[in-house]
Amino acid sequence: MQPTHSQSLPRVLGPWIATAIIVGTVIGSGVFKKGRNVSENVPEFGLAMGVWVLGGLLALLGSLALAEVAVLFPRAGGNYVFLREGYGRMAGFLWGWVEFWIIRGASAAALATMFTDSFHDVLRQSLYPGQRVEVLTFWPRQLLTVFVLAGLATVNMRGTFLGGAVQFAITVLKVASILFIITLPFGVYALVAEPTYPPTLGHLSPMWPSGAINWSGFGVALVGVLWAYNGWMNIAPIAGEVKDPSRNIPIALLAGVFILITLYCGANVAYYLVLPRGAIVAKDAAGQLSATPLATEFCSVLLGPVGVVIASAIVMTSVLGALNGNILVGPRLLYAMGQDRLAPANFARLHARYQTPALAIAAMTSWACLLVVGVGALTHYRLPLIPLGFHDLDLNVPEGKSPFDIMTDFVIFGSATFETLAVATIFVFRQRIPVTPENRPYRCWGYPLVPALYIAIMGAVLANMFISPEQRTEAIVGMGFIGTGALVYVACFQSRKA
């Protein structure tokens, strides 16, 4: 690699690719995986759909506010820049600390793990149709996951436009795949004279709880849905590479979120029409929710063994797109922090030929690979999360919780905390920077109600994570990690000039 000190990243991304980056990085595993968690905690169809709609509305409220901030600061780094400019260098550093070590690394690791699991399903169905045979054992699957991460990192090192073009192509495929899932029950019903599993309205009952709503369960389900929508902010870190940012950033944010709400709600209605709730919340012998994605079970019921292969291919394509988007977007944070000397300065160097932050890409991908191996071993061998002392805090890995769910819950705690603070910077900048047509070509619709409502709901979600036994470990450990980051900043960076 031949690094050079380039001053800025080139603006090469138009509105189509910018929108594809949002949709492509968001649609990954959540729409196929988290429906089981939602149905387990919210048994009523109407309320379960309300969780999916609320998750989308939260993303919409946040995007309406964040678009204004992103247009003010269209630079590489996204939330890091917003928090640094709004609250100071320590706030920016803490976002970078949590985003690198937990949010982005765990997202990439979780997505890569699910890609390998789906590949394993295809392999098993091809070699042993209808049998639950483990074709690849634990360590070969970990090695394959690492190879997938390394391969996508190599693609993104070779050019931002190349990575964006790959993202656009995969996004088109994954949107088409979800539309296939949405229409499949009705296609089968129309083409088959007497389908074995026709769409059944009876599966939508009960529609609403007969008594009081279990708000704690609703909150746990919402955390799962927030993982499905996680990444709607991903236009911000690459804002410095978007053409005409004052126009294209708001377009990409709003169009992307509307597409997501439509696809997610449509797919979940299709699942419920075909699968009874007992099949959705099925558990294995260990008491863990079935690891089979809902899309796989859904297509298997309608199309038989070939449906398993089709669904696994859909999941693989979707997860691959989200994973590529994370590897494209995530390293821009290290690039921005390297420029500010809040991370190793070499992260701010661009490759002399490809003009990409290649070293930052390599660092983020390497950490994701370590998480794949570490969290996989933690759950595979049932190792304690805190082996020495502190047992009274009950911070060990819950029985029956998969590596995927552990990593995604950590992601949501970290992202919800700092992304809420990032949206709140709109109030800071409204006071600090005069509102004029020149510096505000886009202004948040519904200000101040829209950002205030987003902040209030996300605050309630975070509070519920500390209350809920299913997510308390992730919340407490996450807060401890943020505190550790504050100590690192004070020890290493407090005396440096801004």
Side-chain angles (χ1 to χ4, degrees), residues 19-34 52 59 104 107 111-112 114-115 166-179 181-182 225-234 255-268 271 295 313-326 404:
T19 302
I21 287 171
I22 293 174
V23 175
T25 53
V26 172
I27 299 177
S29 57
V31 68
F32 308 116
K33 185 86 171 177
K34 290 298 184 179
W52 285 99
R104 194 68 64 178
S107 293
L111 291 166
M114 191 167 182
F115 177 88
V166 169
Q167 189 66 28
F168 183 80
I170 296 177
T171 299
V172 171
L173 284 175
K174 70 168 67 180
V175 169
S177 299
I178 295 179
L179 291 174
I181 287 174
I182 293 171
V225 168
L226 290 177
W227 162 256
Y229 284 101
N230 187 54
W232 62 266
M233 287 186 171
N234 276 338
V257 171
F258 274 116
I259 291 170
L260 292 168
I261 294 173
T262 302
L263 294 177
Y264 283 2
C265 290
N268 278 278
Y271 295 151
I314 288 173
V315 174
M316 286 173 62
T317 301
S318 181
V319 170
L320 189 68
L323 181 57
N324 181 74
N326 273 277
F404 177 86

Coordinates of all heavy atoms in Angstrom, one line a residue, residues 19-34 52 59 104 107 111-112 114-115 166-179 181-182 225-234 255-268 271 295 313-326 404:
T19 N -28.7 6.8 -1.9 CA -29.9 6.1 -1.4 C -29.6 4.6 -1.3 O -30.1 4.0 -0.3 CB -31.1 6.4 -2.4 OG1 -31.3 7.8 -2.5 CG2 -32.4 5.7 -1.8
A20 N -29.0 4.1 -2.3 CA -28.7 2.6 -2.2 C -27.8 2.3 -1.0 O -27.9 1.2 -0.4 CB -28.0 2.2 -3.5
I21 N -26.9 3.2 -0.6 CA -26.0 2.9 0.5 C -26.9 2.8 1.8 O -26.7 2.0 2.6 CB -24.9 4.0 0.6 CG1 -23.9 3.7 -0.5 CG2 -24.3 3.9 2.0 CD1 -22.9 4.9 -0.6
I22 N -27.9 3.7 1.9 CA -28.7 3.7 3.1 C -29.6 2.4 3.1 O -29.6 1.7 4.1 CB -29.7 4.9 3.1 CG1 -28.8 6.2 3.3 CG2 -30.7 4.8 4.2 CD1 -29.6 7.5 3.3
V23 N -30.3 2.2 2.0 CA -31.2 1.0 1.9 C -30.3 -0.3 2.0 O -30.7 -1.2 2.7 CB -32.0 1.0 0.6 CG1 -32.8 -0.2 0.5 CG2 -32.9 2.2 0.6
G24 N -29.2 -0.3 1.3 CA -28.4 -1.5 1.3 C -27.7 -1.8 2.6 O -27.6 -3.0 2.9
T25 N -27.3 -0.8 3.3 CA -26.7 -1.1 4.6 C -27.7 -1.4 5.7 O -27.4 -2.1 6.6 CB -25.8 0.1 5.1 OG1 -26.6 1.3 5.1 CG2 -24.6 0.3 4.2
V26 N -28.9 -0.9 5.6 CA -29.9 -1.1 6.6 C -30.5 -2.5 6.4 O -30.6 -3.3 7.3 CB -31.0 -0.1 6.5 CG1 -32.2 -0.4 7.4 CG2 -30.4 1.3 7.0
I27 N -31.0 -2.8 5.1 CA -31.6 -4.2 4.9 C -30.5 -5.2 4.9 O -29.6 -5.3 4.0 CB -32.3 -4.2 3.5 CG1 -33.4 -3.2 3.5 CG2 -32.9 -5.6 3.3 CD1 -34.1 -3.1 2.2
G28 N -30.4 -6.0 6.0 CA -29.4 -7.0 6.1 C -30.1 -8.3 6.6 O -30.6 -9.1 5.9
S29 N -30.0 -8.4 7.9 CA -30.5 -9.6 8.6 C -31.8 -9.4 9.3 O -32.6 -10.3 9.6 CB -29.5 -10.1 9.5 OG -29.1 -9.1 10.5
G30 N -32.1 -8.1 9.8 CA -33.2 -7.9 10.7 C -34.5 -8.3 10.1 O -35.3 -8.9 10.8
V31 N -34.8 -8.0 8.9 CA -36.1 -8.3 8.3 C -36.3 -9.8 8.2 O -37.5 -10.3 8.1 CB -36.3 -7.7 6.9 CG1 -35.3 -8.3 5.9 CG2 -37.7 -7.7 6.4
F32 N -35.3 -10.6 8.2 CA -35.4 -12.1 8.1 C -35.2 -12.7 9.5 O -35.7 -13.9 9.6 CB -34.3 -12.6 7.2 CG -34.2 -11.9 5.9 CD1 -33.1 -11.2 5.5 CD2 -35.2 -12.0 5.0 CE1 -33.0 -10.6 4.3 CE2 -35.2 -11.4 3.7 CZ -34.1 -10.7 3.4
K33 N -34.6 -12.1 10.4 CA -34.3 -12.7 11.7 C -35.1 -12.2 12.9 O -35.5 -13.0 13.7 CB -32.8 -12.4 11.9 CG -32.2 -13.1 13.1 CD -31.7 -14.5 12.8 CE -30.9 -15.1 14.0 NZ -30.5 -16.5 13.7
K34 N -35.3 -10.9 13.0 CA -35.8 -10.3 14.2 C -37.3 -10.5 14.4 O -37.9 -10.2 15.4 CB -35.5 -8.8 14.3 CG -34.0 -8.6 14.5 CD -33.5 -9.1 15.8 CE -32.1 -8.8 16.1 NZ -31.6 -9.4 17.4
W52 N -42.9 -2.6 14.2 CA -42.2 -2.4 13.0 C -42.5 -1.0 12.4 O -41.5 -0.3 11.9 CB -42.6 -3.4 12.0 CG -42.0 -4.8 12.2 CD1 -42.6 -5.8 12.8 CD2 -40.7 -5.2 11.9 NE1 -41.7 -6.9 12.9 CE2 -40.5 -6.5 12.4 CE3 -39.6 -4.6 11.3 CZ2 -39.4 -7.2 12.2 CZ3 -38.4 -5.3 11.1 CH2 -38.3 -6.6 11.6
A59 N -36.9 6.2 12.7 CA -35.9 6.5 11.7 C -36.3 7.7 10.8 O -35.4 8.5 10.5 CB -35.7 5.2 10.8
R104 N -19.8 -0.6 14.9 CA -19.5 -1.0 13.6 C -18.8 -2.4 13.5 O -19.2 -3.2 12.7 CB -18.5 0.0 12.9 CG -18.4 -0.1 11.4 CD -19.7 0.3 10.7 NE -20.1 1.7 10.9 CZ -21.1 2.2 10.4 NH1 -21.9 1.5 9.6 NH2 -21.4 3.5 10.6
S107 N -21.5 -5.0 14.2 CA -22.5 -5.1 13.1 C -21.9 -5.9 12.0 O -22.5 -6.8 11.5 CB -22.8 -3.7 12.6 OG -23.5 -2.9 13.5
L111 N -23.3 -9.6 10.8 CA -23.8 -9.8 9.4 C -23.0 -10.9 8.8 O -23.5 -11.7 8.0 CB -23.7 -8.5 8.7 CG -24.7 -7.4 9.1 CD1 -24.2 -6.0 8.5 CD2 -26.1 -7.7 8.7
A112 N -21.6 -10.9 9.0 CA -20.8 -11.9 8.3 C -21.2 -13.3 8.9 O -21.2 -14.3 8.1 CB -19.3 -11.6 8.6
M114 N -24.1 -14.3 9.9 CA -25.4 -14.7 9.4 C -25.2 -15.1 7.9 O -25.8 -16.0 7.4 CB -26.4 -13.6 9.5 CG -27.8 -14.1 9.1 SD -29.1 -13.0 9.6 CE -30.5 -13.9 9.1
F115 N -24.3 -14.4 7.2 CA -24.0 -14.8 5.8 C -23.5 -16.3 5.8 O -23.9 -17.1 5.0 CB -22.9 -13.9 5.2 CG -22.5 -14.3 3.8 CD1 -23.2 -13.8 2.7 CD2 -21.4 -15.1 3.6 CE1 -22.9 -14.2 1.4 CE2 -21.1 -15.5 2.3 CZ -21.8 -15.0 1.2
V166 N -20.9 -1.7 -6.3 CA -21.3 -3.0 -5.8 C -22.5 -2.9 -4.8 O -23.4 -3.7 -4.9 CB -20.1 -3.7 -5.0 CG1 -20.5 -4.9 -4.2 CG2 -18.9 -4.0 -6.0
Q167 N -22.5 -1.9 -4.0 CA -23.6 -1.6 -3.1 C -24.9 -1.4 -3.9 O -26.0 -2.0 -3.5 CB -23.3 -0.4 -2.2 CG -24.3 -0.2 -1.1 CD -24.2 -1.4 -0.1 OE1 -23.1 -2.0 0.1 NE2 -25.3 -1.7 0.6
F168 N -24.9 -0.6 -4.9 CA -26.1 -0.4 -5.7 C -26.6 -1.6 -6.3 O -27.8 -1.9 -6.3 CB -25.8 0.7 -6.8 CG -27.0 1.1 -7.6 CD1 -27.9 2.0 -7.1 CD2 -27.2 0.5 -8.9 CE1 -29.0 2.4 -7.9 CE2 -28.3 0.9 -9.6 CZ -29.2 1.8 -9.1
A169 N -25.7 -2.4 -6.9 CA -26.2 -3.7 -7.6 C -26.8 -4.6 -6.6 O -27.9 -5.2 -6.8 CB -25.0 -4.3 -8.3
I170 N -26.2 -4.8 -5.4 CA -26.7 -5.7 -4.4 C -28.0 -5.2 -3.8 O -28.9 -6.0 -3.6 CB -25.7 -6.0 -3.3 CG1 -24.4 -6.6 -3.9 CG2 -26.3 -6.8 -2.2 CD1 -23.3 -6.9 -2.8
T171 N -28.1 -3.9 -3.7 CA -29.3 -3.3 -3.2 C -30.5 -3.5 -4.1 O -31.6 -3.9 -3.6 CB -29.2 -1.8 -2.9 OG1 -28.1 -1.6 -2.0 CG2 -30.5 -1.1 -2.4
V172 N -30.3 -3.4 -5.4 CA -31.4 -3.7 -6.3 C -31.8 -5.2 -6.2 O -33.0 -5.5 -6.2 CB -30.9 -3.4 -7.8 CG1 -31.9 -4.0 -8.8 CG2 -30.7 -1.9 -8.0
L173 N -30.9 -6.1 -6.1 CA -31.2 -7.5 -5.9 C -32.0 -7.7 -4.6 O -33.0 -8.5 -4.6 CB -29.9 -8.3 -5.9 CG -29.3 -8.5 -7.3 CD1 -27.9 -9.3 -7.1 CD2 -30.2 -9.3 -8.2
K174 N -31.6 -7.1 -3.5 CA -32.2 -7.4 -2.2 C -33.6 -6.8 -2.2 O -34.5 -7.4 -1.6 CB -31.3 -7.0 -1.1 CG -31.2 -5.5 -0.9 CD -30.6 -5.2 0.5 CE -29.1 -5.7 0.6 NZ -28.5 -5.4 1.9
V175 N -33.8 -5.6 -2.8 CA -35.2 -5.0 -2.8 C -36.1 -5.9 -3.6 O -37.2 -6.2 -3.3 CB -35.1 -3.6 -3.4 CG1 -36.5 -3.1 -3.7 CG2 -34.4 -2.7 -2.4
A176 N -35.6 -6.4 -4.8 CA -36.4 -7.4 -5.6 C -36.7 -8.6 -4.8 O -37.8 -9.2 -4.9 CB -35.6 -7.7 -6.9
S177 N -35.7 -9.1 -4.0 CA -35.9 -10.3 -3.2 C -37.0 -10.1 -2.2 O -37.9 -11.0 -2.0 CB -34.6 -10.7 -2.5 OG -33.6 -11.0 -3.5
I178 N -37.0 -9.0 -1.5 CA -38.1 -8.8 -0.5 C -39.4 -8.6 -1.2 O -40.5 -9.0 -0.7 CB -37.7 -7.5 0.4 CG1 -36.4 -7.9 1.2 CG2 -38.9 -7.2 1.3 CD1 -36.0 -6.7 2.0
L179 N -39.5 -7.9 -2.3 CA -40.7 -7.9 -3.1 C -41.2 -9.3 -3.5 O -42.4 -9.5 -3.5 CB -40.6 -7.0 -4.3 CG -40.3 -5.5 -4.1 CD1 -40.0 -4.8 -5.4 CD2 -41.6 -4.9 -3.4
I181 N -40.7 -12.0 -1.7 CA -41.3 -12.5 -0.4 C -42.7 -12.0 -0.2 O -43.6 -12.7 0.2 CB -40.4 -12.2 0.8 CG1 -39.1 -13.1 0.7 CG2 -41.1 -12.5 2.1 CD1 -38.1 -12.8 1.7
I182 N -42.9 -10.7 -0.4 CA -44.2 -10.0 -0.1 C -45.2 -10.6 -1.0 O -46.4 -10.8 -0.6 CB -44.0 -8.5 -0.3 CG1 -43.1 -7.9 0.7 CG2 -45.4 -7.8 -0.3 CD1 -42.8 -6.4 0.5
V225 N -36.2 -4.5 16.5 CA -36.6 -3.8 15.3 C -35.6 -2.7 14.9 O -35.3 -2.4 13.8 CB -38.0 -3.3 15.4 CG1 -38.4 -2.3 14.3 CG2 -39.0 -4.4 15.3
L226 N -35.1 -2.0 16.0 CA -34.1 -1.0 15.7 C -32.9 -1.5 15.1 O -32.2 -0.8 14.3 CB -33.8 -0.3 17.1 CG -34.9 0.6 17.7 CD1 -34.4 1.2 19.0 CD2 -35.3 1.7 16.7
W227 N -32.5 -2.8 15.4 CA -31.4 -3.4 14.7 C -31.8 -3.5 13.2 O -30.9 -3.3 12.3 CB -31.1 -4.8 15.2 CG -30.3 -5.7 14.3 CD1 -30.7 -6.7 13.5 CD2 -28.9 -5.5 14.0 NE1 -29.7 -7.2 12.7 CE2 -28.6 -6.5 13.0 CE3 -27.9 -4.6 14.4 CZ2 -27.3 -6.6 12.5 CZ3 -26.6 -4.8 13.9 CH2 -26.3 -5.8 13.0
A228 N -33.0 -3.9 12.9 CA -33.4 -4.0 11.5 C -33.3 -2.7 10.8 O -33.0 -2.6 9.6 CB -34.8 -4.5 11.4
Y229 N -33.6 -1.6 11.5 CA -33.5 -0.2 10.9 C -32.1 0.4 11.1 O -31.8 1.5 10.6 CB -34.5 0.7 11.4 CG -35.9 0.5 10.9 CD1 -36.9 -0.2 11.7 CD2 -36.3 1.0 9.7 CE1 -38.1 -0.5 11.2 CE2 -37.6 0.8 9.2 CZ -38.5 0.1 10.0 OH -39.8 -0.1 9.5
N230 N -31.2 -0.3 11.8 CA -29.9 0.3 12.2 C -29.1 0.6 10.9 O -29.0 -0.3 10.0 CB -29.1 -0.6 13.1 CG -27.9 0.0 13.6 OD1 -27.9 1.1 14.1 ND2 -26.8 -0.7 13.3
G231 N -28.6 1.8 10.8 CA -27.8 2.1 9.6 C -28.4 3.2 8.8 O -27.8 3.7 7.8
W232 N -29.6 3.7 9.2 CA -30.3 4.8 8.4 C -29.4 6.0 8.4 O -29.5 6.9 7.5 CB -31.7 5.1 8.9 CG -31.8 5.6 10.3 CD1 -32.0 4.8 11.4 CD2 -31.7 6.9 10.7 NE1 -32.0 5.6 12.5 CE2 -31.8 6.9 12.1 CE3 -31.4 8.1 10.1 CZ2 -31.8 8.1 12.9 CZ3 -31.4 9.3 10.8 CH2 -31.6 9.2 12.2
M233 N -28.5 6.2 9.3 CA -27.6 7.3 9.4 C -26.4 7.1 8.5 O -25.5 8.0 8.5 CB -27.1 7.6 10.8 CG -28.2 8.1 11.8 SD -27.4 8.5 13.4 CE -28.8 9.4 14.1
N234 N -26.3 6.1 7.8 CA -25.0 5.8 7.1 C -24.6 6.7 6.0 O -23.5 6.5 5.4 CB -25.0 4.3 6.6 CG -24.6 3.3 7.7 OD1 -23.9 3.7 8.7 ND2 -25.0 2.1 7.6
A255 N -35.9 9.2 1.1 CA -36.3 8.2 0.2 C -35.9 6.8 0.8 O -36.7 5.9 0.7 CB -35.7 8.4 -1.2
G256 N -34.7 6.7 1.3 CA -34.3 5.4 1.9 C -35.2 5.0 3.0 O -35.6 3.8 3.0
V257 N -35.5 5.8 3.9 CA -36.4 5.4 5.1 C -37.8 5.0 4.6 O -38.3 4.0 5.1 CB -36.5 6.5 6.1 CG1 -37.5 6.2 7.2 CG2 -35.1 6.7 6.8
F258 N -38.4 5.7 3.7 CA -39.7 5.3 3.2 C -39.7 4.0 2.5 O -40.6 3.2 2.7 CB -40.2 6.4 2.2 CG -40.9 7.5 2.8 CD1 -40.4 8.8 2.8 CD2 -42.1 7.3 3.6 CE1 -41.1 9.9 3.4 CE2 -42.8 8.4 4.2 CZ -42.2 9.7 4.1
I259 N -38.6 3.7 1.7 CA -38.5 2.4 1.1 C -38.4 1.3 2.2 O -39.0 0.2 2.1 CB -37.2 2.4 0.2 CG1 -37.4 3.3 -1.0 CG2 -36.9 0.9 -0.2 CD1 -36.2 3.5 -1.8
L260 N -37.6 1.6 3.2 CA -37.5 0.6 4.3 C -38.8 0.2 5.0 O -39.1 -0.9 5.2 CB -36.4 1.1 5.3 CG -35.0 1.2 4.8 CD1 -34.2 2.0 5.8 CD2 -34.4 -0.2 4.6
I261 N -39.5 1.3 5.4 CA -40.8 1.0 6.1 C -41.7 0.2 5.2 O -42.4 -0.8 5.7 CB -41.5 2.4 6.4 CG1 -40.6 3.1 7.4 CG2 -42.9 2.1 7.0 CD1 -41.2 4.6 7.7
T262 N -41.8 0.5 3.9 CA -42.7 -0.2 3.0 C -42.3 -1.7 2.9 O -43.1 -2.6 3.0 CB -42.7 0.4 1.6 OG1 -43.1 1.8 1.7 CG2 -43.6 -0.3 0.7
L263 N -41.0 -2.0 2.7 CA -40.5 -3.3 2.5 C -40.7 -4.1 3.8 O -41.1 -5.3 3.8 CB -39.1 -3.3 2.1 CG -38.8 -2.7 0.7 CD1 -37.3 -2.7 0.4 CD2 -39.6 -3.6 -0.4
Y264 N -40.3 -3.6 5.0 CA -40.3 -4.3 6.2 C -41.8 -4.7 6.6 O -42.0 -5.8 7.0 CB -39.7 -3.5 7.3 CG -38.2 -3.5 7.3 CD1 -37.5 -4.1 6.3 CD2 -37.5 -2.8 8.3 CE1 -36.1 -4.1 6.3 CE2 -36.1 -2.7 8.3 CZ -35.4 -3.4 7.3 OH -34.0 -3.4 7.3
C265 N -42.7 -3.7 6.5 CA -44.1 -4.0 6.9 C -44.7 -5.1 5.9 O -45.4 -6.0 6.4 CB -44.9 -2.7 6.9 SG -44.5 -1.6 8.2
G266 N -44.4 -4.9 4.6 CA -44.9 -5.9 3.7 C -44.4 -7.3 3.9 O -45.2 -8.3 3.9
A267 N -43.1 -7.4 4.2 CA -42.5 -8.8 4.4 C -43.1 -9.4 5.7 O -43.5 -10.6 5.7 CB -41.0 -8.7 4.6
N268 N -43.3 -8.6 6.7 CA -43.8 -9.2 8.0 C -45.3 -9.6 7.9 O -45.8 -10.6 8.5 CB -43.6 -8.3 9.1 CG -42.2 -8.4 9.7 OD1 -41.9 -9.3 10.5 ND2 -41.3 -7.5 9.2
Y271 N -45.2 -13.0 6.2 CA -44.8 -14.0 7.2 C -46.0 -14.5 8.0 O -46.3 -15.6 8.1 CB -43.7 -13.5 8.1 CG -42.4 -13.2 7.5 CD1 -41.6 -12.3 8.1 CD2 -41.9 -13.9 6.4 CE1 -40.3 -12.0 7.6 CE2 -40.7 -13.6 5.9 CZ -39.9 -12.6 6.4 OH -38.7 -12.4 5.9
A295 N -37.6 -16.0 6.7 CA -37.7 -16.1 5.3 C -37.5 -17.5 4.8 O -38.2 -18.0 3.9 CB -36.8 -15.2 4.6
A313 N -30.5 -18.0 -0.3 CA -29.8 -17.2 -1.3 C -30.2 -15.7 -1.1 O -29.4 -14.8 -1.2 CB -30.1 -17.7 -2.7
I314 N -31.5 -15.5 -0.8 CA -32.0 -14.2 -0.6 C -31.3 -13.6 0.7 O -30.8 -12.4 0.6 CB -33.5 -14.2 -0.4 CG1 -34.2 -14.4 -1.7 CG2 -34.0 -12.9 0.2 CD1 -35.7 -14.6 -1.6
V315 N -31.2 -14.3 1.7 CA -30.6 -13.8 3.0 C -29.1 -13.6 2.7 O -28.6 -12.5 3.2 CB -30.8 -14.9 4.1 CG1 -30.0 -14.4 5.3 CG2 -32.3 -15.0 4.5
M316 N -28.5 -14.5 2.0 CA -27.0 -14.2 1.7 C -26.8 -12.9 1.0 O -25.9 -12.2 1.3 CB -26.5 -15.4 0.9 CG -26.3 -16.7 1.8 SD -25.8 -18.1 0.7 CE -24.3 -17.5 0.0
T317 N -27.6 -12.7 0.0 CA -27.5 -11.5 -0.8 C -27.8 -10.3 0.0 O -27.0 -9.3 -0.1 CB -28.5 -11.5 -2.0 OG1 -28.2 -12.7 -2.8 CG2 -28.4 -10.3 -2.9
S318 N -28.8 -10.3 0.8 CA -29.2 -9.2 1.6 C -28.1 -8.9 2.7 O -27.6 -7.7 2.8 CB -30.5 -9.4 2.3 OG -30.9 -8.3 3.1
V319 N -27.6 -9.9 3.3 CA -26.6 -9.7 4.4 C -25.3 -9.2 3.7 O -24.6 -8.4 4.3 CB -26.4 -11.0 5.2 CG1 -25.2 -10.9 6.0 CG2 -27.6 -11.3 6.0
L320 N -25.0 -9.8 2.6 CA -23.7 -9.3 1.9 C -23.8 -7.9 1.6 O -22.8 -7.1 1.7 CB -23.5 -10.2 0.6 CG -22.2 -10.0 -0.1 CD1 -21.1 -10.6 0.8 CD2 -22.2 -10.7 -1.5
G321 N -24.9 -7.4 1.1 CA -25.0 -5.9 0.8 C -24.9 -5.1 2.1 O -24.2 -4.0 2.0
A322 N -25.5 -5.5 3.2 CA -25.4 -4.7 4.4 C -23.9 -4.7 4.9 O -23.4 -3.7 5.4 CB -26.3 -5.3 5.5
L323 N -23.3 -5.9 4.8 CA -21.9 -6.0 5.2 C -21.0 -5.2 4.4 O -20.1 -4.4 4.9 CB -21.5 -7.5 5.1 CG -20.1 -7.9 5.6 CD1 -19.8 -7.4 7.0 CD2 -19.9 -9.4 5.4
N324 N -21.2 -5.2 3.1 CA -20.4 -4.3 2.2 C -20.6 -2.8 2.5 O -19.6 -2.1 2.6 CB -20.8 -4.6 0.7 CG -19.9 -3.7 -0.2 OD1 -18.8 -4.0 -0.4 ND2 -20.6 -2.7 -0.8
G325 N -21.8 -2.5 2.8 CA -22.1 -1.1 3.2 C -21.4 -0.7 4.5 O -20.9 0.5 4.6
N326 N -21.4 -1.5 5.4 CA -20.7 -1.2 6.7 C -19.2 -1.1 6.5 O -18.6 -0.2 7.1 CB -21.0 -2.3 7.7 CG -22.2 -2.1 8.5 OD1 -22.2 -1.4 9.5 ND2 -23.3 -2.7 8.1
F404 N -25.4 -13.9 17.4 CA -26.0 -12.9 16.6 C -26.8 -11.9 17.5 O -26.6 -10.7 17.4 CB -26.9 -13.5 15.6 CG -27.7 -12.5 14.7 CD1 -27.1 -12.0 13.6 CD2 -28.9 -12.1 15.1 CE1 -27.8 -11.1 12.8 CE2 -29.6 -11.2 14.3 CZ -29.0 -10.7 13.2

